[in-house]
Amino acid sequence: MDAAIDRVLSSGMYILGPEVDAFEAAFARYVGPEHAVGVASGTDAITLALRALGIGPGDAVATVSHTAVATVAAIRACGARPVWVDIDPATYVMDLDDLERRVGAEPVRAVVAVHLYGNMVPPGPLLEICRRHGLRLIEDCAQAHGASWDGRSAGGFGDAAAFSFYPTKNLGALGDGGMVVTGDAEVAARARRLRQYGWRERFVSAEEGFNTRLDPLQAAVLGVLLGRLEARNEARRAAAAAYDAALAGVADLGLPGTSPGVRHVYHQYVVRHPRRDELAAFLASHGIGTAIHYPVPVHRQPAYAGRFPPEDLPATEAVSGEILSLPMFPQLGAERARHVATLIRRFSSAAA
């Protein structure tokens, strides 16, 4: 990483340039589609993907409320409005039966499918729904670097996909960054224009655009870390397997499910418990950090509440009060995962 940074500093090229080009090419090879466009954040990647696919003011975009608010912020940045879809309470990703029902009830133009926590919305059935209803599909892969379905990587199924390189991601930079990935050359070309003021030629805007460019320092670092992603994902999967085995059968504890055919990469290991806050406090008292991803569904947050009223989202509402993210990172290891599990079993036994 130090060598990569020194190379950029010595080059004198600090905006876009060959480091960004090289990482775009490497990342496109890794994910599968031909084109990758580096931008400043994962949020901008979703925004540009939507805009490049022609989604704009007044359009309806189906997505989930159980997600990082960035998903919905990007939809709103295009002037579009969210149509809320419920989740599967076992896997935490979009309920495709509910998606079918909702897109059949109103004129939706696109779907932003959130591959959450390292799991994926099953792409096969998802694509069937999108084709049947004529919907553009954007994969939100901010938490799914290296996840796959039937041997194909997350980000390789939709009309476009958006990745985040925020430092905590499975593939994270030393700052912020994002990527639009697509197999459509025209979509890629428009995303490239949009990321830099809508320029077709320097200083001449063909359309209104943005200033959202992946930094070459980050691109150089990400190029190094991309080569380590598979090993780090396997370490996450091993830690998750240790959790699964050690937590099996604990009363009132729901373990994370995996969508059929998906290779889960465990950006987070998220359990459910009806006494979530007490469990978190107990773990904290023993030096174990936890988090809640996410405590308030987007449709109930002050910025959005009442503006886009949902129909019932029973699974979304239910999980928000019970989910808890246990420690998960490549260096966690099976021994520490089992230690956390032992404490959870102690909590459960004391509560019985």
Side-chain angles (χ1 to χ4, degrees), residues 16 45 50 69 93 133 154 171-172 188 203 225 261 270 311 333 351:
L16 297 177
L50 287 163
V69 72
V93 297
H133 293 275
L171 179 60
F203 302 132
L225 296 178
V270 180
E311 296 182 37

Side-chain angles (χ1 to χ4, degrees), residues 96-284:
L96 294 181
D97 289 336
D98 196 49
L99 173 66
E100 180 90 64
R101 180 174 69 86
R102 293 177 194 266
V103 301
E106 61 179 296
V108 172
R109 286 202 62 203
V111 177
V112 176
V114 182
H115 299 322
L116 197 68
Y117 301 148
N119 195 14
M120 292 176 67
V121 185
L126 173 62
L127 284 166
E128 289 179 13
I129 293 171
C130 290
R131 288 166 182 157
R132 191 158 54 246
H133 293 275
L135 306 173
R136 308 309 295 265
L137 173 59
I138 298 91
E139 296 176 74
D140 180 347
C141 302
Q143 299 183 11
H145 311 73
S148 61
W149 181 82
D150 196 25
R152 291 175 58 191
S153 292
F157 297 91
D159 296 290
F163 288 83
S164 168
F165 303 123
Y166 187 81
T168 59
K169 305 301 185 186
N170 289 39
L171 179 60
L174 299 183
D176 219 336
M179 190 79 80
V180 178
V181 176
T182 180
D184 188 318
E186 291 187 10
V187 171
R190 190 172 186 209
R192 289 187 189 281
R193 292 196 301 272
L194 289 170
R195 77 172 171 186
Q196 190 161 236
Y197 314 117
W199 286 355
R200 286 186 186 273
E201 56 184 294
R202 188 171 173 81
F203 302 132
V204 180
S205 295
E207 61 181 311
E208 290 183 299
F210 304 87
N211 176 5
T212 174
R213 300 169 293 209
L214 181 62
D215 189 294
L217 279 167
Q218 302 302 343
V221 168
L222 288 164
V224 173
L225 296 178
L226 180 60
R228 305 176 187 177
L229 177 58
E230 285 300 306
R232 291 184 173 190
N233 280 345
E234 284 306 312
R236 288 174 180 270
R237 287 166 53 79
Y243 272 137
D244 287 346
L247 292 171
V250 175
D252 295 327
L253 187 73
L255 301 185
T258 300
S259 302
V262 169
R263 175 182 178 263
H264 199 313
V265 292
Y266 295 97
H267 174 63
Q268 304 291 347
Y269 188 91
V270 180
V271 299
R272 292 181 64 181
H273 198 284
R275 297 169 59 199
R276 183 263 312 282
D277 294 343
E278 293 175 55
L279 174 58
F282 176 82
L283 291 172

